[in-house]
Amino acid sequence: MNYLSPLLTVLLVGRVLAQPSPQSVRKPADLPPALTIEKIMQDPKVWIGTSPSNPFWSDDSQTIYFSWNPEKAKGDSLYKVTLAKDGKPGQPVKVAPAERRAVPPAAGAYNRARTLRLYEKQGDLFLIDVKTSRVRRLTNTVDTEADPRFSGDEQSVVFRRGGSNLFQMHLQTGELSQLTDFRQGNKKAEPKANDEEKFLKQDQLRMFEVLKERKDKRDEAERISKADRPKRPKEIYLEDRQLFNPQLSPNGRFVTYRLAKNPTAAKTAQVPNYVTETGYTEDIAARTKVGAPLAAQEFFVYDIEKDTVRAVSVKAIPGINDKPDYAKATAGTGQPAVGTKRDSTRSGVAKADTAKKNTTRPVVINGPVWSDDGKQCVVVVRSLDNKDRWIMRLDPETLKLTLLDRQRDEAWIGGPGMGFTYATGNMNFLSDNQTIWYQSEADGYSHIYTINVLTGEKKQLTKGKFEVQQVILSKDKTHFFLQTNEVHPGEQHFYRMAVTGGPRVRLTTMTGANDVTLSPDETRLAIRYSSGNQPWELYLSELSPTLLASRKAETVPLVSTRPAIKLTNSLTEEFKAYAWRDPALVTIPARDSQTIYGRLYKPANPNGKAVVFVHGAGYLQNAHKWWSQYFREYMFHNLLADKGYTVLDIDYRASAGYGRDWRTGIYRHMGGKDLDDHVDAARWLVQNHGVDSKRIGIYGGSYGGFITLMALFTQPDVFKAGAALRPVTDWAAYNHPYTANILNEPQSDSLAYRRSSPIYFADGLKGHLLICHGMVDVNVHYQDVVRLAQRLIELRKENWELASYPVEDHGFVEPTSWMDEYKRILKLFEEKL
C-alpha cells in the first residue's frame, strides 16, 4: 500500500527555502521599504540599534550610568550622563576602563541615615561616603566576601565569607570576629567504650594511685586551658544539607539560617549536545521534572548568648494540615469536591486522584525581616504546594510563631510583589518599628497593606482593579514610590504616596511604559521609556519643588514632575526608515463575559487572511502600549500586515497585569480558558474585521507553542495552520516550580495533566503543523517534540513538519536560526492559508 511518509526531518540551520514570488511583496512607491525575513531577523544591534539598559545612579545623585552599545560592538559598554550644576544633563559619554573598574555597583546596603553605603565588588567589600564619594576598601582577600550589612549599632559590618560563615568587622578599629562556625559533613564522634572497657578503666584507677593522680592532673590542666581560651562560635555541622541566608539579629545575639536537604531520589534530565568543539556528543545536565521529590527545609535559630541551636517548629501554624480543594475528592467518585475554584472538565479523560493521608504539609520559612531597633522579627512561611503564605512574628528566644496574616489560594499564591516559594516578597518595617508593610492579592489584585505586629491592626493602603507592580519605601520612611497599571492595564506609571495611604501623585507622563530608577536623594528619575512602536530610550525627569516640599500628597498636583529630557538616541537610520505600526489596543468579549485585551495590526489592503500570535511564559503581558520583548515577532507582524494579513495577539487567561482571577484562570486546565480566549478572538476577527474563517493561522513559542498545538489538536476547525515553536507537549515533562503551581503534581492530580497536555490530543490534528525546536534546549527539552513526533507517526498523520536547530537553546541566538525558522513560518502561512 502506497502512502506519503510523515514529514519528520531534521532540517539543519542555514538551508534556504523558496521565497514568495516578487509580485506578492511588491509595494507602491508611496509605501515604506519592503520588509524581508533576512532583514528583520538579522543581528538586532546592527539593524535596529541597542537600547540603554541597567541604569543606576552614582551615590551623590549626579551621574547616571547605563549599559549601551551605539558603536555596534560585540558587547555593551558602560556609559554615563553627568548633571551640570544647574541640574541639566550632559551628553552620554563612554566610561573609560579605569573608571569603569572603580565605579561602585548599584547594589548595596545603606546605614539608617543613608550617609554610608556598603557594597561588594569582585569578592571584596567597600564602604562609600555618600556625600563625598570617598571609597574605603574593607577587605582584600582570596576568599569571597559577600552580602555586607551594617550591624544593629552601625559600628560594624556583618558579612559572609566563603559563602557560609558570618564575620563582623568593627569599622573604627578594624577588629575582625567570626560569628558562626558552619562546617560541612558530620561531627566525628569519639568511639564509645563498651561495658567491659568501662569496667577495666575504672578498676585500673581504683587499683593504682599513680594512674588516678596523673588523670586528675590532666583533667585540671584541660579545665584551666579551656577556661583561658577565647570564646569561639559554636561548631554547627551541616551534615548533608545546604545552608541558606544566615543572618545576624540587630542586637547581635541571634543568628537565623535555613538548611535544605536535597532528596537522593530526584533524577536530573540530561540534554545531548551534538555540535561540540570536541567532536563528541556531550550531555548537558538540565533539571528535574515536575513531581520529583523536593528538598526538606528547616529553619534554625542559633542563640550566641546561650550557645544553643534550635529548629523552629511549624506544627502549630494555623491551617498547616489543610488539604487543597482538588484533593478533597468525594468518596468513591473521584470527582473534585463542590467548591473547587475555576475547574472545568472535558469528557474522555481521567478523574482526579484520591487524596493522600492527612499529614503536615511541608513548608519553607523565609526571612527574617527585622525592625530597625531589633525588637521585632517577622518571617514569611510558604507551603511547598504554594496554596498558603503566612506572615508571622517570630520570637527568636522562645521560637514562638504568631500569625499576622494568612493568604490562602486554592490555585496558587502569586502576583507582583509576592515573591516566590523561597523569598519573602516585598515587605519591611515602617519608622515606628512596629508596623510592617507588604503586598497581597487578598482582594484579587496585588495591593499594599500594613499590619501592626503587636496589635494585629491591619490596613489596606491601595485598592482598585489594578496592580501595584513595584514598591520602594522612601529613605525617611514617610512615602512609598510605586509603579502601577491603574491608568490602563497596558500602561505603567510611577507614583508617590504617603505611608498612611491616600491620594497618589503621578510622577511620569509619557504614554507607554515608564521603568523608573530613582536617584539616591529621591529628587530625580532615570526613566527607561518605550511606546508601542518605539524601542526603549533613557530619559531624565526631576520632581517638582512643590512636591519635594510637601509631605501631604493632596497639596500637590496630580502629576508632579518636570518634563522628561531624552538622553539617548539608539535607533539606526535604516530602522527608522520604515513606518512601524503602533498596534491598536482592542478589547474582545470572551464567552464567559470577561474582557480580553489584544493588539491588532491592520493591513492597508486586507486579503482575508489572519494570524493569531500567542505570547510565551503563560504569565506574561504583551497587549500593551510599550515596546514588546517580542520585537522580532512585532517586526514579523508588520511584514505580514504589509502582505495583507490581519494580525492579532492577545493577553489570554493567565497573562500578567490583570489580577488574581485572570492569573489563575488556567488552574488545573492549561489549554482550557486560555485556548477558549484565542478561539473567541479568532471569531471576533471574522465578525468584525472581514477575516475568512477558513484562513486563520496561529503561532507562538514556548507556552505559545503549547497553545498552538492545543489549538490544532482540539480546535481544528478554527485554525487551519499553525507553527509551534519550542512547545511543551507533555506537562509531566516540564519543571516543578512552574508546573506544580498550576497543575499540582502528576502523581496526585493526573486529571489535570492529561487534559492539559497536547500529546494526548494529537489524533485531532487536521490542519497543517510546523514544529521548530532547539536541540540543546535545557528549558523545554527537545525530547518533548521527539515524543510528539513518534506519536504523530503512529497516528499516521502526514500534514506536519519538524525543523530542528542543533546549536540553539530555548531562546535562539544565531540570526541564521531566526531567519530559517521564520522563513518556514511565512511559507506555512503563504501556502496553507
Side-chain angles (χ1 to χ4, degrees), residues 110-117 128-132 154:
Y110 285 96
N111 63 350
R112 286 187 283 274
R114 297 181 74 89
T115 57
L116 300 171
R117 183 168 72 95
I128 186 168
D129 186 303
V130 171
K131 186 175 182 181
T132 66
E154 300 191 335

Side-chain angles (χ1 to χ4, degrees), residues 426-453:
N426 290 345
M427 63 170 49
N428 216 324
F429 278 90
L430 298 180
S431 58
D432 65 358
N433 289 310
Q434 295 182 9
T435 304
I436 196 164
W437 67 268
Y438 62 97
Q439 286 184 253
S440 172
E441 278 190 326
D443 75 346
Y445 291 84
S446 182
H447 284 296
I448 305 175
Y449 294 76
T450 60
I451 189 166
N452 187 294
V453 300

